[in-house]
Coordinates of all heavy atoms in Angstrom, one line a residue:
M174 N 0.8 -1.2 0.0 CA 0.0 0.0 0.0 C 0.9 1.2 0.0 O 1.9 1.3 0.7 CB -0.9 0.0 1.2 CG -1.8 1.2 1.4 SD -2.9 1.2 2.8 CE -4.3 0.5 2.0
R175 N 0.5 2.2 -0.8 CA 1.3 3.5 -0.8 C 1.3 4.2 0.5 O 0.3 4.1 1.3 CB 0.6 4.4 -1.9 CG 0.7 4.0 -3.3 CD -0.2 4.8 -4.2 NE 0.0 6.2 -4.0 CZ 0.4 7.0 -5.0 NH1 0.6 6.6 -6.2 NH2 0.5 8.3 -4.7
V176 N 2.3 4.9 0.8 CA 2.5 5.6 2.1 C 1.4 6.6 2.3 O 0.8 6.7 3.4 CB 3.9 6.1 2.3 CG1 4.2 7.3 1.4 CG2 4.1 6.5 3.8
D177 N 1.0 7.4 1.3 CA 0.0 8.4 1.5 C -1.4 7.7 1.7 O -2.1 8.2 2.6 CB -0.1 9.3 0.3 CG -0.4 8.6 -1.1 OD1 -0.2 7.4 -1.2 OD2 -0.8 9.3 -2.0
K178 N -1.7 6.6 1.1 CA -2.9 5.9 1.3 C -2.9 5.3 2.7 O -4.0 5.3 3.4 CB -3.2 4.8 0.3 CG -3.6 5.3 -1.0 CD -3.9 4.2 -2.0 CE -4.3 4.6 -3.3 NZ -4.7 3.5 -4.2
F179 N -1.8 4.8 3.2 CA -1.7 4.2 4.5 C -2.0 5.2 5.6 O -2.7 4.9 6.5 CB -0.3 3.5 4.7 CG -0.1 2.9 6.1 CD1 -0.6 1.7 6.3 CD2 0.5 3.6 7.1 CE1 -0.5 1.1 7.6 CE2 0.7 3.1 8.3 CZ 0.2 1.8 8.6
L180 N -1.3 6.4 5.5 CA -1.5 7.4 6.5 C -3.0 7.8 6.6 O -3.5 8.1 7.7 CB -0.6 8.6 6.2 CG 0.9 8.4 6.3 CD1 1.6 9.6 5.8 CD2 1.3 8.1 7.7
N181 N -3.7 7.9 5.5 CA -5.1 8.2 5.5 C -5.9 7.1 6.0 O -6.9 7.2 6.8 CB -5.5 8.7 4.1 CG -7.0 9.0 4.0 OD1 -7.7 8.3 3.4 ND2 -7.4 10.0 4.8
A182 N -5.7 5.8 5.5 CA -6.5 4.7 5.9 C -6.5 4.4 7.4 O -7.5 4.0 7.9 CB -6.0 3.5 5.1
V183 N -5.4 4.6 8.0 CA -5.3 4.2 9.4 C -5.5 5.4 10.3 O -5.2 5.4 11.5 CB -3.9 3.5 9.8 CG1 -3.8 2.2 9.0 CG2 -2.8 4.4 9.6
N184 N -6.0 6.5 9.8 CA -6.4 7.7 10.5 C -5.3 8.5 11.2 O -5.5 9.1 12.2 CB -7.5 7.4 11.5 CG -8.7 6.8 10.9 OD1 -9.2 7.3 9.9 ND2 -9.1 5.6 11.4
I185 N -4.1 8.4 10.6 CA -3.0 9.3 11.1 C -3.2 10.7 10.6 O -3.0 11.6 11.4 CB -1.6 8.7 10.7 CG1 -1.3 7.4 11.4 CG2 -0.5 9.7 11.1 CD1 -0.1 6.7 11.1
V186 N -3.6 10.8 9.4 CA -4.0 12.1 8.8 C -5.5 12.0 8.4 O -5.9 10.9 8.0 CB -3.1 12.6 7.7 CG1 -1.7 12.9 8.2 CG2 -3.1 11.6 6.5
K187 N -6.2 13.2 8.3 CA -7.6 13.1 8.0 C -7.9 12.9 6.5 O -8.8 12.3 6.2 CB -8.3 14.4 8.5 CG -8.4 14.5 10.0 CD -9.2 15.6 10.4 CE -9.3 15.7 11.9 NZ -10.5 16.1 12.4
R188 N -7.0 13.5 5.7 CA -7.3 13.4 4.2 C -6.0 13.0 3.5 O -4.9 13.3 3.9 CB -7.8 14.7 3.7 CG -9.2 15.0 4.1 CD -9.7 16.3 3.5 NE -9.0 17.4 4.1 CZ -8.7 18.5 3.5 NH1 -9.1 18.7 2.3 NH2 -8.0 19.5 4.1
R189 N -6.2 12.3 2.4 CA -5.0 11.8 1.6 C -4.3 13.0 1.0 O -3.0 13.0 0.9 CB -5.5 10.9 0.5 CG -4.3 10.3 -0.2 CD -4.8 9.2 -1.2 NE -3.9 8.9 -2.2 CZ -4.1 8.4 -3.3 NH1 -5.4 8.0 -3.6 NH2 -3.2 8.1 -4.2
A190 N -5.0 14.1 0.7 CA -4.3 15.3 0.1 C -3.4 15.9 1.2 O -2.3 16.4 0.8 CB -5.4 16.3 -0.3
I191 N -3.7 15.8 2.4 CA -2.8 16.3 3.5 C -1.6 15.5 3.5 O -0.5 16.0 3.6 CB -3.6 16.4 4.8 CG1 -4.7 17.4 4.8 CG2 -2.6 16.7 6.0 CD1 -5.6 17.4 6.0
A192 N -1.8 14.2 3.5 CA -0.6 13.2 3.5 C 0.3 13.5 2.3 O 1.5 13.6 2.4 CB -1.1 11.8 3.5
Q193 N -0.3 13.7 1.1 CA 0.5 14.0 -0.1 C 1.3 15.3 0.1 O 2.5 15.4 -0.3 CB -0.4 14.0 -1.3 CG -0.9 12.7 -1.7 CD -1.9 12.7 -2.8 OE1 -2.6 13.7 -3.0 NE2 -2.0 11.6 -3.6
D194 N 0.7 16.3 0.6 CA 1.3 17.6 0.8 C 2.5 17.5 1.8 O 3.5 18.0 1.6 CB 0.3 18.6 1.3 CG 0.9 20.0 1.4 OD1 1.5 20.4 0.4 OD2 0.6 20.7 2.4
M195 N 2.3 16.7 2.9 CA 3.3 16.5 3.9 C 4.5 15.8 3.2 O 5.7 16.1 3.5 CB 2.8 15.7 5.1 CG 1.8 16.5 5.9 SD 1.0 15.4 7.1 CE 2.3 15.2 8.3
I196 N 4.2 14.8 2.4 CA 5.3 14.0 1.7 C 6.0 14.9 0.7 O 7.3 14.9 0.7 CB 4.7 12.8 1.0 CG1 4.2 11.8 2.0 CG2 5.7 12.2 0.0 CD1 3.3 10.7 1.5
E197 N 5.3 15.8 0.0 CA 6.0 16.7 -1.0 C 6.9 17.7 -0.3 O 7.9 18.1 -0.8 CB 5.0 17.5 -1.8 CG 4.3 16.6 -2.8 CD 3.1 17.4 -3.5 OE1 3.0 18.6 -3.3 OE2 2.4 16.7 -4.2
N198 N 6.6 18.0 1.0 CA 7.4 19.0 1.7 C 8.5 18.3 2.6 O 9.2 19.0 3.4 CB 6.5 19.9 2.6 CG 5.7 20.8 1.8 OD1 6.3 21.5 1.0 ND2 4.4 20.9 2.0
G199 N 8.7 17.0 2.4 CA 9.7 16.3 3.1 C 9.5 16.0 4.6 O 10.5 15.8 5.3
V200 N 8.3 16.1 5.0 CA 8.0 15.9 6.4 C 7.9 14.4 6.8 O 8.2 14.0 7.9 CB 6.6 16.6 6.8 CG1 6.2 16.3 8.2 CG2 6.7 18.1 6.5
V201 N 7.6 13.6 5.8 CA 7.4 12.1 6.1 C 8.6 11.4 5.6 O 9.1 11.5 4.5 CB 6.1 11.6 5.3 CG1 6.0 10.1 5.6 CG2 4.9 12.3 5.8
K202 N 9.1 10.6 6.6 CA 10.4 9.8 6.3 C 10.2 8.3 6.7 O 9.4 8.1 7.7 CB 11.6 10.4 7.0 CG 11.9 11.8 6.7 CD 13.0 12.3 7.5 CE 13.3 13.8 7.1 NZ 14.4 14.3 7.9
I203 N 10.8 7.4 6.0 CA 10.9 6.0 6.4 C 12.3 5.7 6.5 O 13.1 5.9 5.5 CB 10.1 5.1 5.4 CG1 8.6 5.5 5.4 CG2 10.3 3.7 5.8 CD1 7.8 4.6 4.5
A204 N 12.8 5.2 7.6 CA 14.2 4.8 7.8 C 15.1 6.0 7.7 O 16.2 5.9 7.2 CB 14.6 3.7 6.9
G205 N 14.6 7.2 8.1 CA 15.4 8.4 8.0 C 15.5 9.1 6.6 O 16.2 10.0 6.5
I206 N 14.8 8.5 5.6 CA 14.9 9.0 4.3 C 13.6 9.6 3.8 O 12.5 8.9 4.0 CB 15.3 7.9 3.3 CG1 16.7 7.3 3.7 CG2 15.4 8.4 1.9 CD1 17.1 6.1 3.0
S207 N 13.5 10.8 3.3 CA 12.3 11.3 2.7 C 11.8 10.4 1.6 O 12.5 9.9 0.8 CB 12.5 12.7 2.2 OG 12.9 13.6 3.2
V208 N 10.5 10.3 1.6 CA 9.9 9.3 0.6 C 9.0 10.1 -0.3 O 8.6 11.2 -0.1 CB 9.1 8.2 1.4 CG1 10.0 7.4 2.2 CG2 7.9 8.8 2.2
K209 N 8.6 9.4 -1.4 CA 7.6 9.8 -2.4 C 6.3 9.2 -2.0 O 6.3 8.2 -1.3 CB 8.0 9.4 -3.8 CG 9.3 10.1 -4.3 CD 9.5 9.7 -5.7 CE 10.8 10.4 -6.2 NZ 11.0 10.0 -7.6
A210 N 5.2 9.8 -2.5 CA 3.9 9.3 -2.1 C 3.7 7.9 -2.6 O 2.9 7.1 -2.1 CB 2.8 10.2 -2.7
S211 N 4.4 7.5 -3.7 CA 4.2 6.2 -4.3 C 5.0 5.1 -3.5 O 4.8 3.9 -3.9 CB 4.6 6.2 -5.7 OG 6.0 6.5 -5.8
R212 N 5.8 5.4 -2.5 CA 6.6 4.4 -1.8 C 5.6 3.4 -1.1 O 4.7 3.8 -0.4 CB 7.4 5.1 -0.8 CG 8.1 4.3 0.3 CD 9.3 3.5 -0.1 NE 10.2 3.2 0.9 CZ 10.1 2.4 1.9 NH1 8.9 1.8 2.1 NH2 11.1 2.1 2.7
D213 N 5.9 2.1 -1.3 CA 5.1 1.1 -0.6 C 5.5 1.0 0.8 O 6.7 1.0 1.2 CB 5.2 -0.2 -1.3 CG 4.4 -0.3 -2.6 OD1 3.4 0.4 -2.7 OD2 4.7 -1.1 -3.5
V214 N 4.5 0.8 1.7 CA 4.8 0.6 3.1 C 4.7 -0.9 3.4 O 3.9 -1.6 2.8 CB 3.7 1.3 4.0 CG1 3.8 1.0 5.4 CG2 3.7 2.8 3.7
K215 N 5.7 -1.4 4.2 CA 5.7 -2.8 4.5 C 5.6 -3.0 6.0 O 5.9 -2.0 6.8 CB 7.1 -3.4 4.1 CG 7.3 -3.3 2.6 CD 8.7 -3.8 2.2 CE 8.9 -3.6 0.7 NZ 9.7 -2.4 0.5
V216 N 5.2 -4.1 6.5 CA 5.1 -4.4 7.9 C 6.5 -4.3 8.5 O 7.5 -4.8 8.0 CB 4.5 -5.8 8.1 CG1 4.5 -6.2 9.6 CG2 3.1 -5.9 7.6
G217 N 6.6 -3.6 9.6 CA 7.8 -3.4 10.3 C 8.5 -2.0 10.0 O 9.4 -1.6 10.7
D218 N 8.0 -1.3 8.9 CA 8.6 0.0 8.6 C 8.2 1.0 9.7 O 7.2 0.9 10.4 CB 8.0 0.6 7.3 CG 8.6 0.0 6.1 OD1 9.6 -0.7 6.2 OD2 8.0 0.2 5.0
V219 N 9.1 1.9 10.0 CA 8.9 3.0 11.0 C 8.8 4.3 10.2 O 9.7 4.7 9.5 CB 10.0 3.1 12.0 CG1 9.8 4.2 12.9 CG2 10.2 1.8 12.8
I220 N 7.6 4.9 10.2 CA 7.3 6.1 9.5 C 7.5 7.3 10.5 O 7.0 7.3 11.6 CB 5.8 6.1 9.0 CG1 5.6 5.0 8.1 CG2 5.5 7.4 8.4 CD1 4.2 4.7 7.7
E221 N 8.3 8.2 10.1 CA 8.6 9.4 10.9 C 7.8 10.6 10.3 O 7.9 10.8 9.1 CB 10.1 9.7 11.0 CG 10.4 11.0 11.7 CD 11.9 11.4 11.6 OE1 12.7 10.6 11.0 OE2 12.2 12.5 12.1
I222 N 7.1 11.3 11.1 CA 6.5 12.6 10.7 C 7.0 13.7 11.6 O 6.9 13.7 12.8 CB 4.9 12.5 10.9 CG1 4.4 11.3 10.0 CG2 4.3 13.8 10.4 CD1 2.9 11.1 10.1
A223 N 7.7 14.6 10.9 CA 8.4 15.7 11.6 C 7.5 16.9 11.7 O 7.3 17.6 10.8 CB 9.7 16.1 10.8
F224 N 6.9 17.0 12.9 CA 6.0 18.2 13.1 C 6.9 19.4 13.5 O 8.1 19.2 13.7 CB 5.0 17.9 14.2 CG 4.0 16.9 13.8 CD1 4.0 15.5 14.3 CD2 2.9 17.2 13.0 CE1 3.1 14.6 13.9 CE2 2.0 16.3 12.6 CZ 2.1 15.0 13.0
L225 N 6.3 20.5 13.8 CA 7.1 21.7 14.0 C 8.0 21.6 15.3 O 9.2 21.9 15.3 CB 6.2 22.9 14.2 CG 5.5 23.4 12.9 CD1 4.5 24.5 13.3 CD2 6.5 23.8 11.9
E226 N 7.5 21.0 16.4 CA 8.2 21.0 17.6 C 8.9 19.7 17.9 O 9.9 19.6 18.5 CB 7.3 21.3 18.8 CG 6.8 22.8 18.7 CD 5.9 23.1 19.9 OE1 5.8 22.3 20.8 OE2 5.3 24.2 19.8
K227 N 8.4 18.6 17.3 CA 9.0 17.3 17.6 C 8.5 16.3 16.5 O 7.6 16.6 15.7 CB 8.6 16.7 18.9 CG 7.1 16.4 19.1 CD 6.8 15.8 20.5 CE 5.4 15.6 20.6 NZ 5.0 14.9 21.8
S228 N 9.2 15.2 16.4 CA 8.9 14.1 15.4 C 8.1 13.0 16.1 O 8.3 12.7 17.3 CB 10.1 13.6 14.8 OG 10.8 14.5 14.0
K229 N 7.1 12.4 15.4 CA 6.4 11.3 15.9 C 6.8 10.1 15.0 O 7.0 10.2 13.8 CB 4.9 11.5 15.8 CG 4.4 12.4 16.9 CD 2.9 12.4 17.0 CE 2.5 13.2 18.2 NZ 1.1 13.1 18.5
F230 N 6.9 8.9 15.6 CA 7.3 7.7 14.9 C 6.2 6.7 15.0 O 5.7 6.5 16.1 CB 8.6 7.1 15.5 CG 9.8 8.1 15.3 CD1 10.0 9.1 16.3 CD2 10.6 8.0 14.3 CE1 11.1 9.9 16.1 CE2 11.7 8.8 14.1 CZ 11.9 9.8 15.0
Y231 N 5.8 6.1 13.9 CA 4.8 5.1 13.9 C 5.3 3.8 13.2 O 5.8 3.8 12.1 CB 3.6 5.6 13.0 CG 3.0 6.9 13.5 CD1 3.4 8.1 13.0 CD2 2.1 6.9 14.6 CE1 2.8 9.3 13.4 CE2 1.5 8.1 15.0 CZ 1.9 9.3 14.4 OH 1.4 10.4 14.9
Q232 N 5.2 2.7 13.9 CA 5.6 1.4 13.4 C 4.4 0.7 12.8 O 3.4 0.6 13.4 CB 6.2 0.5 14.5 CG 6.7 -0.8 13.9 CD 7.4 -1.6 15.0 OE1 7.3 -1.4 16.2 NE2 8.1 -2.7 14.5
V233 N 4.6 0.2 11.5 CA 3.5 -0.5 10.8 C 3.4 -1.9 11.3 O 4.4 -2.7 11.3 CB 3.8 -0.5 9.3 CG1 2.7 -1.2 8.5 CG2 4.0 1.0 8.8
L234 N 2.2 -2.2 11.8 CA 2.0 -3.6 12.3 C 1.4 -4.5 11.3 O 1.7 -5.7 11.2 CB 1.1 -3.5 13.6 CG 1.6 -2.7 14.8 CD1 0.6 -2.7 15.9 CD2 3.0 -3.3 15.2
Q235 N 0.5 -3.9 10.5 CA -0.1 -4.7 9.4 C -0.7 -3.7 8.4 O -0.9 -2.5 8.7 CB -1.2 -5.7 9.9 CG -2.4 -5.1 10.6 CD -3.4 -6.2 11.0 OE1 -3.4 -7.3 10.4 NE2 -4.2 -5.9 12.0
I236 N -1.0 -4.2 7.2 CA -1.5 -3.4 6.1 C -3.0 -3.6 6.0 O -3.4 -4.7 6.0 CB -0.8 -3.7 4.8 CG1 0.7 -3.7 4.9 CG2 -1.3 -2.8 3.6 CD1 1.3 -2.3 5.2
P237 N -3.8 -2.5 6.0 CA -5.2 -2.7 6.0 C -5.7 -3.2 4.6 O -5.1 -2.8 3.6 CB -5.8 -1.3 6.2 CG -4.7 -0.3 6.0 CD -3.4 -1.1 6.2
E238 N -6.7 -4.0 4.6 CA -7.3 -4.5 3.4 C -8.3 -3.5 2.7 O -8.4 -3.5 1.5 CB -8.0 -5.9 3.7 CG -7.1 -7.0 4.2 CD -6.1 -7.5 3.2 OE1 -6.5 -7.5 2.0 OE2 -5.0 -7.8 3.6
Q239 N -9.0 -2.8 3.6 CA -10.0 -1.8 3.1 C -9.3 -0.5 2.9 O -8.2 -0.2 3.3 CB -11.1 -1.7 4.1 CG -11.9 -2.9 4.4 CD -11.5 -3.4 5.8 OE1 -10.6 -3.0 6.4 NE2 -12.3 -4.3 6.3
K240 N -10.1 0.4 2.2 CA -9.7 1.8 1.9 C -9.6 2.6 3.2 O -8.7 3.4 3.4 CB -10.6 2.4 0.9 CG -10.2 3.8 0.5 CD -11.1 4.3 -0.6 CE -10.7 5.6 -1.1 NZ -11.6 6.2 -2.1
T241 N -10.6 2.4 4.1 CA -10.6 3.1 5.4 C -10.9 2.1 6.5 O -11.6 1.0 6.2 CB -11.6 4.2 5.5 OG1 -12.9 3.7 5.2 CG2 -11.2 5.3 4.5
I242 N -10.5 2.4 7.7 CA -10.8 1.5 8.8 C -11.5 2.4 9.9 O -11.4 3.6 9.9 CB -9.6 0.8 9.4 CG1 -8.5 1.8 9.9 CG2 -9.0 -0.1 8.4 CD1 -7.4 1.2 10.7
K243 N -12.1 1.7 10.9 CA -12.7 2.5 12.0 C -11.6 3.0 12.9 O -10.5 2.4 13.1 CB -13.6 1.5 12.8 CG -14.7 1.0 12.0 CD -15.6 0.0 12.9 CE -16.7 -0.5 12.0 NZ -17.4 -1.6 12.8
K244 N -11.8 4.2 13.5 CA -10.8 4.8 14.4 C -10.5 3.9 15.5 O -9.3 3.9 16.0 CB -11.3 6.2 14.9 CG -11.2 7.2 13.8 CD -11.5 8.6 14.4 CE -11.3 9.6 13.3 NZ -11.5 11.0 13.8
N245 N -11.4 3.2 16.1 CA -11.1 2.4 17.2 C -10.3 1.1 16.9 O -9.9 0.4 17.8 CB -12.4 2.0 18.0 CG -13.4 1.2 17.2 OD1 -13.2 1.0 16.0 ND2 -14.5 0.9 17.8
E246 N -10.1 0.8 15.6 CA -9.3 -0.3 15.2 C -8.0 0.1 14.7 O -7.2 -0.8 14.3 CB -10.1 -1.1 14.0 CG -11.4 -1.7 14.4 CD -12.1 -2.4 13.3 OE1 -11.6 -2.3 12.1 OE2 -13.1 -3.1 13.6
S247 N -7.6 1.4 14.7 CA -6.4 1.8 14.2 C -5.2 1.3 14.9 O -4.1 1.1 14.4 CB -6.3 3.4 14.1 OG -6.5 3.9 15.4
H248 N -5.3 1.0 16.2 CA -4.2 0.4 17.0 C -3.8 -0.9 16.5 O -2.7 -1.4 16.8 CB -4.6 0.3 18.5 CG -5.6 -0.7 18.8 ND1 -7.0 -0.5 18.5 CD2 -5.5 -1.9 19.2 CE1 -7.7 -1.6 18.9 NE2 -6.8 -2.5 19.3
L249 N -4.6 -1.6 15.7 CA -4.2 -2.9 15.1 C -3.2 -2.7 13.9 O -2.6 -3.7 13.6 CB -5.4 -3.6 14.6 CG -6.5 -3.9 15.7 CD1 -7.8 -4.5 15.0 CD2 -6.0 -4.9 16.7
Y250 N -3.1 -1.6 13.4 CA -2.4 -1.4 12.1 C -1.1 -0.6 12.4 O -0.2 -0.7 11.6 CB -3.2 -0.6 11.1 CG -4.4 -1.4 10.7 CD1 -5.6 -1.3 11.3 CD2 -4.3 -2.4 9.7 CE1 -6.7 -2.0 11.0 CE2 -5.4 -3.2 9.4 CZ -6.6 -3.0 10.0 OH -7.7 -3.8 9.6
Y251 N -1.0 0.2 13.4 CA 0.3 0.9 13.8 C 0.4 1.1 15.3 O -0.6 1.0 16.0 CB 0.4 2.2 13.0 CG -0.5 3.3 13.5 CD1 -0.1 4.1 14.5 CD2 -1.8 3.4 13.0 CE1 -1.0 5.1 15.0 CE2 -2.7 4.4 13.5 CZ -2.3 5.3 14.5 OH -3.1 6.2 15.0
K252 N 1.6 1.3 15.7 CA 1.8 1.7 17.1 C 2.8 2.9 17.1 O 3.7 2.9 16.3 CB 2.2 0.6 18.0 CG 3.6 0.1 17.8 CD 4.0 -0.9 18.8 CE 5.4 -1.4 18.6 NZ 5.9 -2.4 19.5
E253 N 2.5 3.8 18.0 CA 3.4 4.9 18.2 C 4.7 4.5 18.9 O 4.6 3.9 20.0 CB 2.7 6.1 18.9 CG 3.4 7.4 18.6 CD 2.6 8.6 19.1 OE1 1.3 8.5 19.1 OE2 3.2 9.6 19.4
V254 N 5.8 4.8 18.4 CA 7.1 4.4 19.0 C 7.7 5.5 19.7 O 7.7 6.6 19.3 CB 8.1 3.8 17.9 CG1 9.3 3.3 18.6 CG2 7.4 2.7 17.1

């Protein structure tokens, strides 16, 4: 699954357009490297999102099958590291 779709599907960001904008501005990194929106996410990847004051890290636990998931199920797909 593409990184922009993953961020939207598991409710880390509200809209895919926001995820794409963050990626274009170099805010989203995997393994310390800025990624493109088309980069595939794999189980075990650690996604870093550099906010203004601090960075947040999310470890991918599994890839969702559906386009969107319920907010109360998002803990099954990633955990904050």
Side-chain angles (χ1 to χ4, degrees):
M174 176 178 268
R175 293 168 50 118
V176 68
D177 59 341
K178 286 185 178 181
F179 178 81
L180 292 173
N181 178 246
V183 298
N184 302 309
I185 293 175
V186 295
K187 290 189 180 216
R188 291 182 289 149
R189 186 171 162 204
I191 294 172
Q193 289 172 333
D194 188 45
M195 292 171 73
I196 291 167
E197 287 174 11
N198 290 309
V200 175
V201 179
K202 299 177 182 179
I203 295 178
I206 301 169
S207 293
V208 296
K209 293 183 179 180
S211 61
R212 164 79 153 68
D213 282 335
V214 176
K215 299 177 186 99
V216 174
D218 281 347
V219 177
I220 300 171
E221 175 186 356
I222 300 178
F224 292 103
L225 293 174
E226 296 182 8
K227 64 179 181 173
S228 293
K229 287 194 174 187
F230 297 87
Y231 303 96
Q232 183 176 13
V233 179
L234 300 177
Q235 64 179 335
I236 307 298
E238 298 291 325
Q239 301 107 343
K240 187 176 179 180
T241 59
I242 61 168
K243 296 177 184 174
K244 283 189 178 186
N245 61 357
E246 294 178 356
S247 61
H248 70 281
L249 301 172
Y250 297 94
Y251 71 89
K252 70 175 180 179
E253 198 168 334
V254 183

